Amino acid sequence: MPMPRLEGAGSPLPDARGHFGPYGGRFVPETLVAALEALTEAYHEVGRDPEFRRRLDADLAHYVGRPSPLYLAERLTHEVGGARIYLKREDLNHTGAHKVNNTVGQILLAQRMGKRRIIAETGAGQHGVATATVAARLGLACVVYMGAEDVKRQAPNVYRMKLLGAEVRPVESGSRTLKDAMNEAMRDWVTHVDDTFYVIGSVAGPHPYPMMVRDFQCIIGRETREQMLAQEGRLPDALVACVGGGSNAMGLFHPFLDDPEVALYGVEAAGHGLASGQHSAPLSAGRPGVLHGSRTYLLDDADGQIQEAHSISAGLDYPGVGPEHSWLKDSGRAHYVYATDEEALAAFHRLTRTEGIIPALESAHALAYAERLAARMAPAQTLVVNLSGRGDKDIFTIAAREGIAL
Amino acid sequence: MSQAPSRIERRFRALHEQSRAALVTYVMAGDPDADTTLDLLHALVAGGADILELGVPFSDPVADGVAIQLAAGRALRSGMNLPGVLDLVRRFRERNGETPIVLMGYLNPIERMGYGAFAAAASAAGVDGVLTVDLPPEEGEGLLPALREARLAPIFLVAPTTTDRRMAWICEQAQGFVYYVSLKGVTGAASLDLEAVGERLAVVRALTSLPVGVGFGITGPEQAAAVAAVADAVVVGSALVKTIAGGNPGTLPEQITAQVSALRVAMDEAPRARGIAP
């Protein structure tokens, strides 16, 4: 049987140097170049190795719990009025979000490369938990960098990581959120480059991460495609996913890039509104620049200093975005839109009450836009929302905001 | 093609004739404010600095350790930005036309100003070289031609992890000098392995006729002297930045002159002590 390649391995982009048109690349200190080249080579090797693919598929099936269901949200559809809304239930994965699809893949690769120490950055804590989980399973040491601000906002996930045996290092520099956690993880990697594998959690960072994380997350879109064909007999009319760094969106979108009849909507976090300047929407309100190893849309000031992002959702609170999203924006293949904190909260409550599903605040941004979009579409049409994570981790944030003491 | 030698070339030639290694010092522009930095640049020269590296503050300095991260924060809070750094250089040149200045920073502020505009303004201000920490040469197709056009030396890092083949290729792109990163780590780390540095340095030297500087983790006179015995230039940054962070603005220039002078004296004595200099 021919080797099933990792999804995306046949994709024309990125080019050999990791460029998606003018975006992407490898803007890193020289010390990391050799490590990135070794990683790229190891990744291409496992892409040709049927044994790696079998191991990955087995882990995704029996450890993560894939395939995740594609669920028709009938009451939500009825309440919104318009297109039938399907939810891709990534919240049902082990650890409660799509993040684990990628950490399973990267940590298998780390093990294969003989690395004994795993590091990661995390925003909401979902990627940190997913990394700590897989590291525990394989008996690897794990250090997770997390902005001090996020440590406060996401206490349950911090505790989870500790239970899993990871060391959580709060990052006090800069805005004390995800971007600063990523800076600190890169500094750690520069210092321990020989024995350490850096598991980046999004389709961001230097080549090969945007490509590799995309490929590991493409399982979302691949399943969605099969499930829609099985349930509806045709492809969906639209896909909607939230975009922080953009891994859940890229994983859903990528297997549909060559299907022009499927519209793609990436939803950024508009925080207090784009006009307020307090948001996390570089594709909607930023411009191209260089951050964390790649050229991409980002939020910066007139002097080129990176600005602090804002979102109620820690997982979207990032001033950059994966470079392939920048490319999909410029090429027009995907549309990038936004939802505010308030809109996301309203969508959070609506899904919880109509469907008995508590979504992550990140995913609630996608839901907020999907409701608007569905209402403009015909009942015969369908759209798929990536329900990228479950909201248990957010109940403290939401209760506090609503003046409820838990 | 022969052009008049640059300030950097002239400085290395002069030092070579004296069998001395260059002392390259790094401070962050605008830490704690522009006027103090200007005084400090002159104080560094007075202490015996041969080449000045001037840090351009950036919000997300991934290659820097805590000392320089904090310095960048102080500089940004004082209002320093890339045009401000160039203005500092222009003011320095009013009194010093000979000491080479290399800007060290990250790409995004340069990208924001525009490559051509930056190169022209930097050259006009009196900058001699530019080291962009997060720009390996393969991503330099925009910036590097602009620098060369403006007769600014593109300076690159080579690291302990850089393969020999890649090192040769980087050395081909470089001008001014090659900056060997002495350790796997961020600036100001404290795990310098002098023996390993010496071994890798021999490889770099075989690949280029450019002077080779060594930096990251050189903290005091003893280490500076040891590195001076094997390298063409010794770069000291975080140790000076820490002095600036803890110093009294009134006496800071004197303190810095004294600190640099101690490095300079140790470096000048070292090669003879080791019997390397003629």
Side-chain angles (χ1 to χ4, degrees):
Chain A
M1 200 183 138
M3 155 61 194
R5 299 176 69 126
L6 287 171
E7 182 67 28
S11 168
L13 289 177
D15 67 17
R17 285 169 45 214
H19 291 213
F20 302 89
Y23 302 110
R26 196 177 269 169
F27 294 85
V28 293
E30 176 62 25
T31 308
L32 290 182
V33 171
L36 291 166
E37 281 175 359
L39 176 59
T40 307
E41 198 177 308
Y43 178 66
H44 283 306
E45 248 171 52
V46 300
R48 292 187 294 267
D49 178 359
E51 186 46 43
F52 184 88
R53 181 76 242 186
R54 269 193 291 275
R55 177 81 199 272
L56 179 60
D57 286 345
D59 282 357
L60 290 173
H62 306 299
Y63 189 66
V64 175
R66 303 205 70 91
S68 67
L70 183 69
Y71 166 74
L72 175 60
E74 288 185 76
R75 286 195 69 217
L76 179 66
T77 298
H78 181 74
E79 206 172 284
V80 168
R84 282 201 303 287
I85 300 172
Y86 280 87
L87 306 177
K88 180 61 175 165
R89 298 290 310 275
E90 293 298 302
D91 60 315
L92 294 177
N93 293 338
H94 180 41
T95 72
H98 72 290
K99 292 291 188 186
V100 72
N101 301 328
N102 167 52
T103 55
V104 162
Q106 283 199 47
I107 294 177
L108 275 181
L109 181 56
Q111 195 183 35
R112 177 133 163 173
M113 291 175 76
K115 306 287 185 181
R116 302 294 309 161
R117 181 173 178 269
I118 301 295
I119 59 169
E121 84 294 335
T122 197
Q126 291 304 108
H127 173 60
V129 167
T131 303
T133 296
V134 182
R137 175 169 174 247
L138 297 181
L140 301 171
C142 180
V143 173
V144 179
Y145 290 93
M146 187 169 188
E149 191 62 32
D150 293 334
V151 168
K152 269 194 297 188
R153 286 194 281 192
Q154 303 289 342
N157 272 343
V158 174
Y159 185 56
R160 251 175 226 128
M161 287 184 268
K162 289 180 180 168
L163 286 174
L164 290 160
E167 182 192 342
V168 179
R169 294 192 185 162
V171 176
E172 300 283 353
S173 58
S175 59
R176 309 179 348 144
T177 60
L178 179 55
K179 86 173 170 73
D180 310 285
M182 200 153 172
N183 291 338
E184 207 54 37
M186 286 177 87
R187 291 181 189 118
D188 180 310
W189 199 28
V190 168
T191 308
H192 302 104
V193 64
D194 292 331
D195 69 341
T196 295
F197 190 103
Y198 179 17
V199 179
I200 293 185
S202 196
V203 287
H207 180 63
Y209 285 100
M211 168 182 79
M212 183 169 68
V213 177
R214 172 196 76 192
D215 294 352
F216 286 134
Q217 290 292 1
C218 273
I219 185 79
I220 303 172
R222 240 172 21 236
E223 286 176 6
T224 299
R225 194 185 179 89
E226 283 171 21
Q227 290 165 322
M228 276 306 276
L229 289 173
Q231 293 178 43
E232 287 277 343
R234 61 186 186 83
L235 296 180
D237 296 289
L239 304 176
V240 184
C242 65
V243 176
S247 69
N248 90 80
M250 193 56 70
L252 178 64
F253 293 174
H254 203 266
F256 293 91
L257 287 185
D258 295 332
D259 303 300
E261 70 272 29
V262 181
L264 311 176
Y265 295 91
V267 186
E268 294 191 296
H272 297 313
L274 295 189
S276 73
Q278 291 185 293
H279 57 79
S280 303
L283 291 166
S284 304
R287 53 186 173 178
V290 173
L291 176 67
H292 291 152
S294 61
R295 177 172 282 114
T296 189
Y297 278 81
L298 49 75
L299 301 175
D300 66 354
D301 66 15
D303 294 329
Q305 307 298 339
I306 307 304
Q307 290 188 307
E308 292 181 18
H310 169 82
S311 170
I312 189 175
S313 142
L316 301 181
D317 202 345
Y318 180 62
V321 65
E324 193 167 9
H325 284 294
S326 295
W327 168 246
L328 292 179
K329 172 189 163 75
D330 283 9
S331 70
R333 178 61 189 94
H335 308 284
Y336 292 91
V337 294
Y338 49 87
T340 63
D341 288 354
E342 288 301 328
E343 290 165 338
L345 276 170
F348 170 93
H349 285 300
R350 197 199 294 243
L351 188 75
T352 302
R353 285 199 303 259
T354 57
E355 298 290 346
I357 296 171
I358 301 178
L361 275 174
E362 290 78 17
S363 320
H365 287 75
L367 289 164
Y369 185 79
E371 290 174 11
R372 271 185 268 158
L373 180 64
R376 297 198 305 264
M377 292 167 67
Q381 292 184 294
T382 60
L383 69 77
V384 176
V385 182
N386 198 0
L387 199 69
S388 55
R390 68 179 178 220
D392 307 49
K393 68 185 174 56
D394 294 314
I395 59 174
F396 298 95
T397 304
I398 291 163
R401 189 176 170 109
E402 294 174 352
I404 297 160
L406 293 183
Chain B
M1 187 177 78
S2 79
Q3 285 176 316
S6 69
R7 280 194 198 94
I8 298 175
E9 287 164 335
R10 291 202 299 271
R11 181 56 50 109
F12 274 109
R13 274 183 209 173
L15 288 163
H16 186 71
E17 280 162 20
Q18 302 163 6
S19 296
R20 297 166 80 209
L23 175 54
V24 181
T25 57
Y26 172 101
V27 295
M28 177 65 75
D31 173 27
D33 56 63
D35 289 345
T36 307
T37 303
L38 181 60
D39 291 343
L40 291 176
L41 292 176
H42 291 297
L44 291 162
V45 175
D50 299 298
I51 295 175
L52 300 174
E53 264 185 20
L54 191 53
V56 180
F58 182 52
S59 52
D60 293 78
V62 293
D64 286 304
V66 174
I68 293 178
Q69 288 173 43
L70 292 173
R74 290 189 296 270
L76 290 172
R77 281 192 296 279
S78 82
M80 185 51 66
N81 57 14
L82 187 50
V85 175
L86 299 182
D87 189 55
L88 249 178
V89 175
R90 186 190 56 71
R91 289 166 67 198
F92 175 79
R93 285 275 173 251
E94 289 170 0
R95 283 173 50 202
N96 184 322
E98 278 309 307
T99 306
I101 295 189
V102 172
L103 300 188
M104 183 166 178
Y106 295 81
L107 186 59
N108 202 56
I110 295 177
E111 182 132 328
R112 203 47 74 217
M113 188 183 262
Y115 296 147
F118 162 72
S123 179
V127 172
D128 302 288
V130 177
L131 197 176
T132 313
V133 179
D134 56 350
L135 187 79
E138 52 266 68
E139 299 290 356
E141 56 207 24
L143 180 60
L144 301 183
L147 293 182
R148 294 192 183 107
E149 170 97 350
R151 297 215 59 208
L152 295 168
I155 292 168
F156 293 109
L157 301 174
V158 292
T161 51
T162 307
T163 60
D164 292 2
R165 191 174 152 185
R166 180 174 169 80
M167 210 177 266
W169 178 72
I170 292 175
C171 288
E172 278 170 29
Q173 324 275 315
Q175 293 173 20
F177 62 97
V178 174
Y179 188 140
Y180 180 73
V181 176
S182 56
L183 50 81
K184 294 169 192 160
V186 293
T187 54
S191 54
L192 190 61
D193 177 348
L194 285 167
E195 201 175 320
V197 169
E199 279 169 24
R200 287 307 285 162
L201 220 53
V203 176
V204 187
R205 283 183 175 292
L207 292 169
T208 182
S209 57
L210 288 174
V212 182
V214 174
F216 281 43
I218 298 170
T219 54
E222 203 176 311
Q223 282 176 327
V227 174
V230 292
D232 300 301
V234 177
V235 189
V236 179
S238 296
L240 296 165
V241 168
K242 282 181 193 163
T243 303
I244 294 167
N248 173 343
T251 57
L252 208 44
E254 288 158 38
Q255 262 179 280
I256 287 292
T257 297
Q259 190 175 355
V260 172
S261 180
L263 295 166
R264 179 75 266 174
V265 167
M267 285 168 57
D268 286 346
E269 284 171 357
R272 288 184 203 93
R274 288 174 166 233
I276 286 176

